[in-house]
Amino acid sequence: MRNLTQIAKAIVDPRANLEKMPHTDPDSWETPARAGRQLRLYHIKSNFPLIFGGLIVFGLFLVVLFGPLWAPINPYIAGQHVVAHLDTVTGEWIDPPLSPSSEYPLGTDQWGNDILSMLMYGARNTLIAAAFVTMARVILGMVLGSIAGWNENKTIDRLIMGASGVIMAIPMLISSMILIYALDIRRGLPAFIIALSIIGWTEIAQYIRSEVLVIRKMPYIEGAYAVGSKDSGMVVRHVLPNLLPQMLVLIFLEFGAVLLLMGGLAFIGVFIGGGSSSVAGDDTLALQTQVIADVPEWGAMLAEGYRWFTSKPFIVFPPALAFFVAVIGFNTFGEGLRRLIEQTHVNTNFLLKKRMVLVIIGIIAATVYIIGNTGPAPWFAKMANAFTGTGAYGHIERLAGMNGRSPTQPGSQEAAAYIAAKFEEYGLQPGWKKLEYIYPMQMTLTEPLTQPQLAVLNADGTMLQEFVHQRDFGFMVDGHGGSGDVELPLTFVGFNGDGSALNWEAYRGLDLRDRIVLLLEGNAPIDFPTEALVRGAKGVLWISEDPNDVRSQNQFSHAAGDYMRAPQIPIFRIGPDTADTILSAMDSSMADLFAVEAGSQSKQGWFTHDLDGATVRMVVELADPKETAVPTILGYLPGSDLSLANELVVIYAHYDGLGIDPDGTRYPAVNHNASGVSVMLEVARLWQEENLDPRRPVLFVAWGAGSLTKPGAREFLDSEQSFTHLPTTQRLQTTAVFQIDYAGTGSDEIFISPHSNERLKNLVDESAAEIDVLVVNEAGETAVSSDMLNTKAPWVYLAWDNPAIPPDQDTFDRIDAEKLRTFGELLSLSLAKVVRQSRY
């Protein structure tokens, strides 16, 4: 009965056993460190606890250093198949936990994690945590015990010993649990170190106090007083050297006690980080809340596995054995040191010599290395650093060489087939129904049959300036835009206030017959070209608000053959520079447009300004609109964590471009849009190479309509129906969208759209700081895609800032391999945090 009581007390209140610790004899001039015989090899060889415990401690040290290298799987980036699934390679049904096998020597836990790998990686987390707690306890106990002993019966002595008594009155298991939760268990290692240190120093302080009380009365202390030594000098020169041997013993005994406490806490569900909660069950089973550990750690393995003790003992046995061996090892080694000190004279003066500085530096370096490789962050960084950019460079070169990637040209189908093949090669599941990668998005499109023309001519018909299609201007098909061949003077129509509030009666008297109308985006109502057509205009020029986006818009917002569209007039979109050139030929400027002269038409809300002296030629011949299946490629990776399996992460990029003009002008669309989709492909390849297993499901989207005015991506991602075709029974909800573009060249800063989700923006900012990449949240000349604006899902837009290149000059030779690598590294690191961490 007495033994059972002692065992129960050790479980509830695990403390280092200091009863056998050597004590200084007050009647002797020597402390235990200076008593006994000279140390001989015989004393070590005959000290079984020292040898046995030393071998275990040394073995654990090797596991801490090299365990991650020996582990079959990296649990930070792989594992956690929490749902039964079909192995697409072997065709076998996988339903963890899996019994030990050649693939999993110790089996897997209930989440599908390889137990051997968890032990190897968990050794570093567990033993480092125990080491920090031990050192904090020993240092705190030594300092407070020394202060109390040196100031016997003074106020500080009574305060320290009173606090010690109060803390020891509460069982350590209970007080530890209360403090850990009070400090927030989700803070991870810092909460554990602080909590276990606060309640673990008491016995050490009492022991050190008793030793200091005796040492202080030694003749050499009285002699030091006699020669005028200060208290601080006596502590360093006389007290500390005599305590060091006991401190060494205390460290190892306390290490074992800390491990025993951590194991006890694990059995009641208290471990580093606290994990994340998951509700499991179905209509026939009661719902159960289970905790999933975020990091591999022995305590977490015990907390998750003890429920399987009767049915699957192989889950709980390895971590329990690891705790047992570690506790036995440190306790026996500490006992061996204690015996060695009792039997021999142990000289520890070498610990206070200058050469120990090198040893301390070595220990600090090893500690920094171990800490730097503890937790998920270092492994995420290593995986991101593996993004070399070579693969993305190859994808860009391949896409740029295709025969035009406009949605109406053969290169679009060729690019789609290439991307789909890469998705399959990199292990992504088909993301469209009928197990297909390509989603055919139906759109009404047209294309020019001849090269569109825009020119300004003088009064006698001599051409003053001809402009370049897709760089200086582009045609539009909305608002009765269509084919036409006109050469007429210009009339600017401006608006005072909100022009959209004007109805048709407000334009009574407006005469635009045989004129080309010039409008300013942001000033004129978006539907005014229709009114201009009614008033006799033969063409419309829109001055774009975005100087970098004047591409032709060949997408209709209505079905092909809609009779309501006739008649048609040419409508072009021009940049500010093109507008300045046209206006200067007519001895005018942008500022002059808003100066209403005599003879100009005007009414409340609008005015006109006739621009004579030159004419404008607009020529465009378009094919009949037709329904076109624009290919979008969808690749899917299922989420392996039951608690996160419905939180969809989307990686989104365009692969299309402007294609080839009728005159043979090629638009390679390298930086915009081949670079974004190429980085996405390389991320998929890297994940396959590193065996990354996303806890959240991931949808890779290579969108085929990015060059169109209404690409439809936002509507697609906002619709719950879009995800019903994915190979999952989960009801998915988009939790993060990463839109990437302009990944191959630009300024030295990566642009994050200010409209991005704040949490995702902060995540990318944090990742950029970790790899020393500059980011900017204010748009320079970047043409920010509006695909995700106003979407319901949290999104973030990433691109190199100021990447503006004329579309006909967006060629492969402009790609900067280093910028491509940096962009991919930042994206990989940010995505790893989102898909692998419960909270980000």
Side-chain angles (χ1 to χ4, degrees):
M1 182 61 70
R2 180 183 177 186
N3 290 335
L4 291 176
T5 303
Q6 291 177 341
I7 292 174
K9 184 178 183 298
I11 293 174
V12 176
D13 197 21
R15 300 179 187 272
N17 184 5
L18 306 184
E19 293 179 358
K20 296 183 179 180
M21 282 290 294
H23 290 272
T24 301
D25 185 357
D27 298 326
S28 171
W29 281 38
E30 292 184 318
T31 62
R34 303 188 183 278
R37 295 165 290 177
Q38 191 69 24
L39 176 65
R40 297 282 185 260
L41 181 61
Y42 166 79
H43 297 111
I44 297 176
K45 293 171 63 176
S46 62
N47 193 333
F48 175 76
L50 185 69
I51 296 176
F52 179 71
L55 289 174
I56 293 177
V57 171
F58 180 70
L60 291 172
F61 179 72
L62 292 180
V63 172
V64 169
L65 282 179
F66 305 111
L69 300 178
W70 299 336
I73 297 173
N74 186 341
Y76 287 112
I77 62 175
Q80 291 193 310
H81 290 284
V82 300
V83 291
H85 65 283
L86 182 68
D87 190 320
T88 56
V89 177
T90 64
E92 297 179 356
W93 186 254
I94 308 297
D95 189 9
L98 304 179
S99 300
S101 62
S102 57
E103 183 179 4
Y104 302 108
L106 299 181
T108 74
D109 60 16
Q110 65 270 42
W111 312 118
N113 294 310
D114 177 44
I115 292 177
L116 178 59
S117 299
M118 295 286 284
L119 277 179
M120 292 294 185
Y121 277 83
R124 179 172 291 181
N125 291 323
T126 304
L127 296 178
I128 286 295
F132 273 107
V133 172
T134 299
M135 294 307 299
R137 282 183 171 189
V138 171
I139 292 173
L140 195 59
M142 182 180 68
V143 171
L144 294 179
S146 299
I147 293 174
W150 200 259
N151 297 278
E152 183 183 8
N153 293 328
K154 294 182 180 179
T155 302
I156 187 66
D157 178 28
R158 289 193 292 270
L159 285 175
I160 293 174
M161 289 299 100
S164 173
V166 171
I167 293 173
M168 293 182 66
I170 306 173
M172 192 175 292
L173 192 69
I174 297 174
S175 57
S176 300
M177 179 179 64
I178 294 172
L179 273 176
I180 289 170
Y181 279 106
L183 294 170
D184 190 356
I185 191 173
R186 292 173 298 179
R187 291 176 57 194
L189 187 58
F192 260 72
I193 293 176
I194 295 172
L196 301 191
S197 300
I198 288 176
I199 50 90
W201 58 270
T202 53
E203 286 193 331
I204 298 174
Q206 290 179 351
Y207 173 77
I208 295 299
R209 177 180 181 273
S210 66
E211 289 297 293
V212 171
L213 286 175
V214 175
I215 292 172
R216 192 182 178 206
K217 298 174 182 178
M218 289 292 180
Y220 51 83
I221 297 295
E222 294 178 1
Y225 269 122
V227 296
S229 296
K230 296 182 179 180
D231 287 353
S232 58
M234 285 187 284
V235 169
V236 172
R237 291 186 179 89
H238 301 294
V239 177
L240 186 58
N242 287 304
L243 290 177
L244 283 178
Q246 294 95 309
M247 298 305 300
L248 289 175
V249 176
L250 272 175
I251 287 172
F252 289 98
L253 292 178
E254 194 63 33
F255 207 118
V258 171
L259 285 172
L260 188 61
L261 177 59
M262 292 178 67
L265 288 169
F267 269 101
I268 58 175
V270 181
F271 53 87
I272 297 175
S276 57
S277 298
S278 170
V279 179
D282 54 29
D283 294 336
T284 61
L285 297 174
L287 294 177
Q288 294 182 342
T289 300
Q290 301 184 34
V291 176
I292 304 174
D294 293 324
V295 296
E297 192 261 323
W298 292 353
M301 295 174 70
L302 273 180
E304 295 177 348
Y306 78 91
R307 297 181 180 86
W308 297 81
F309 179 73
T310 55
S311 59
K312 305 283 185 179
F314 62 83
I315 296 178
V316 71
F317 181 74
L321 180 63
F323 267 115
F324 175 77
V325 170
V327 171
I328 290 295
F330 283 103
N331 280 341
T332 54
F333 189 68
E335 172 64 17
L337 283 177
R338 185 191 65 79
R339 293 183 183 182
L340 198 65
I341 290 173
E342 283 185 344
Q343 296 171 359
T344 63
H345 168 62
V346 180
N347 187 357
T348 56
N349 288 335
F350 72 93
L351 295 175
L352 300 177
K353 293 184 178 180
K354 293 182 179 179
R355 70 186 67 174
M356 283 304 297
V357 173
L358 297 177
V359 177
I360 294 172
I361 292 174
I363 294 174
I364 292 174
T367 303
V368 169
Y369 167 77
I370 293 173
I371 294 175
N373 288 275
T374 300
W379 300 103
F380 293 162
K382 287 181 179 179
M383 189 185 70
N385 192 53
F387 188 103
T388 62
T390 304
Y393 205 72
H395 295 313
I396 294 175
E397 186 175 24
R398 181 73 177 83
L399 291 170
M402 292 179 179
N403 189 27
R405 299 200 311 279
S406 167
T408 60
Q409 296 176 345
S412 175
Q413 302 292 335
E414 183 183 357
Y418 174 80
I419 296 169
K422 290 301 177 182
F423 275 5
E424 184 174 13
E425 179 184 342
Y426 299 153
L428 304 185
Q429 297 180 14
W432 182 239
K433 61 185 179 181
K434 300 179 182 178
L435 299 181
E436 296 176 358
Y437 289 95
I438 296 178
Y439 159 60
M441 186 169 51
Q442 298 298 320
M443 293 185 172
T444 306
L445 304 177
T446 186
E447 58 182 340
L449 298 175
T450 59
Q451 186 68 10
Q453 299 177 37
L454 174 65
V456 58
L457 302 89
N458 62 15
D460 60 8
T462 302
M463 185 178 295
L464 299 176
Q465 178 72 48
E466 185 174 13
F467 301 98
V468 179
H469 179 231
Q470 303 285 29
R471 187 180 69 187
D472 301 324
F473 75 97
F475 62 83
M476 301 174 66
V477 296
D478 279 342
H480 292 276
S483 301
D485 184 346
V486 297
E487 182 181 331
L488 295 167
L490 278 180
T491 292
F492 174 72
V493 180
F495 294 82
N496 298 316
D498 185 9
S500 62
L502 301 177
N503 57 30
W504 67 272
E505 292 181 342
Y507 298 112
R508 183 172 296 173
L510 175 61
D511 185 2
L512 299 175
R513 284 176 293 180
D514 297 325
R515 308 289 292 192
I516 293 175
V517 175
L518 183 65
L519 303 173
L520 179 63
E521 284 187 357
N523 175 255
I526 191 66
D527 59 351
F528 186 77
T530 300
E531 189 66 36
L533 173 65
V534 172
R535 302 295 170 178
K538 300 301 183 182
V540 174
L541 291 180
W542 274 105
I543 303 175
S544 172
E545 289 183 295
D546 186 349
N548 300 313
D549 186 14
V550 293
R551 66 187 187 275
S552 288
Q553 302 173 359
N554 60 336
Q555 178 186 9
F556 292 89
S557 58
H558 54 79
D562 188 345
Y563 70 92
M564 293 295 291
R565 285 202 69 254
Q568 300 175 11
I569 58 173
I571 301 177
F572 288 178
R573 197 166 183 236
I574 63 175
D577 291 342
T578 303
D580 288 339
T581 302
I582 294 174
L583 292 172
S584 64
M586 301 173 184
D587 296 324
S588 186
S589 66
M590 292 288 290
D592 295 336
L593 295 180
F594 289 88
V596 182
E597 300 177 356
S600 296
Q601 304 176 66
S602 65
K603 274 194 175 183
Q604 184 176 0
W606 61 267
F607 62 90
T608 67
H609 193 152
D610 293 334
L611 302 167
D612 297 316
T615 59
V616 172
R617 175 183 295 166
M618 302 175 66
V619 180
V620 61
E621 183 183 2
L622 301 177
D624 291 335
K626 62 179 180 180
E627 295 296 322
T628 305
V630 179
T632 285
I633 307 92
L634 306 175
Y636 179 73
L637 285 178
S640 62
D641 191 324
L642 182 61
S643 64
L644 305 173
N646 67 329
E647 298 182 12
L648 182 67
V649 177
V650 177
I651 310 171
Y652 165 76
H654 306 150
Y655 72 86
D656 61 318
L658 298 177
I660 303 175
D661 265 1
D663 68 349
T665 302
R666 299 180 64 91
Y667 302 98
V670 173
N671 195 40
H672 176 72
N673 296 317
S675 65
V677 75
S678 297
V679 167
M680 181 176 68
L681 287 174
E682 184 63 8
V683 166
R685 186 203 63 79
L686 181 64
W687 285 10
Q688 181 192 48
E689 181 182 273
E690 298 291 332
N691 295 315
L692 183 136
D693 189 8
R695 296 173 64 184
R696 290 181 172 87
V698 182
L699 182 64
F700 291 76
V701 180
W703 202 255
S707 61
L708 304 180
T709 52
K710 299 180 180 64
R714 176 174 60 83
E715 292 78 8
F716 177 85
L717 295 177
D718 279 349
S719 173
E720 294 183 1
Q721 296 300 317
S722 301
F723 306 131
T724 57
H725 56 268
L726 294 177
T728 177
T729 58
Q730 296 282 342
R731 182 169 181 172
L732 299 176
Q733 181 178 0
T734 306
T735 190
V737 178
F738 285 78
Q739 183 180 356
I740 52 178
D741 203 353
Y742 298 105
T745 190
S747 72
D748 293 329
E749 297 176 316
I750 287 183
F751 171 70
I752 305 175
S753 171
H755 304 289
S756 301
N757 174 265
E758 195 66 27
R759 186 168 67 151
L760 291 175
K761 189 163 60 175
N762 291 339
L763 170 77
V764 177
D765 282 339
E766 174 189 287
S767 300
E770 293 176 18
I771 60 175
D772 295 325
V773 176
L774 298 176
V775 297
V776 59
N777 294 318
E778 295 181 1
E781 299 176 10
T782 303
V784 181
S785 171
S786 60
D787 293 1
M788 296 296 113
L789 288 177
N790 301 318
T791 184
K792 295 185 294 186
W795 64 278
V796 62
Y797 176 91
L798 300 178
W800 282 109
D801 196 31
N802 296 340
I805 299 172
D808 56 333
Q809 299 176 28
D810 187 8
T811 53
F812 182 70
D813 59 292
R814 288 181 175 268
I815 293 297
D816 185 329
E818 180 60 24
K819 288 189 181 298
L820 196 65
R821 185 202 64 78
T822 302
F823 189 95
E825 184 179 358
L826 175 61
L827 179 67
S828 298
L829 181 58
S830 302
L831 284 171
K833 295 177 180 179
V834 172
V835 302
R836 282 299 301 174
Q837 292 183 322
S838 299
R839 296 177 292 271
Y840 61 87

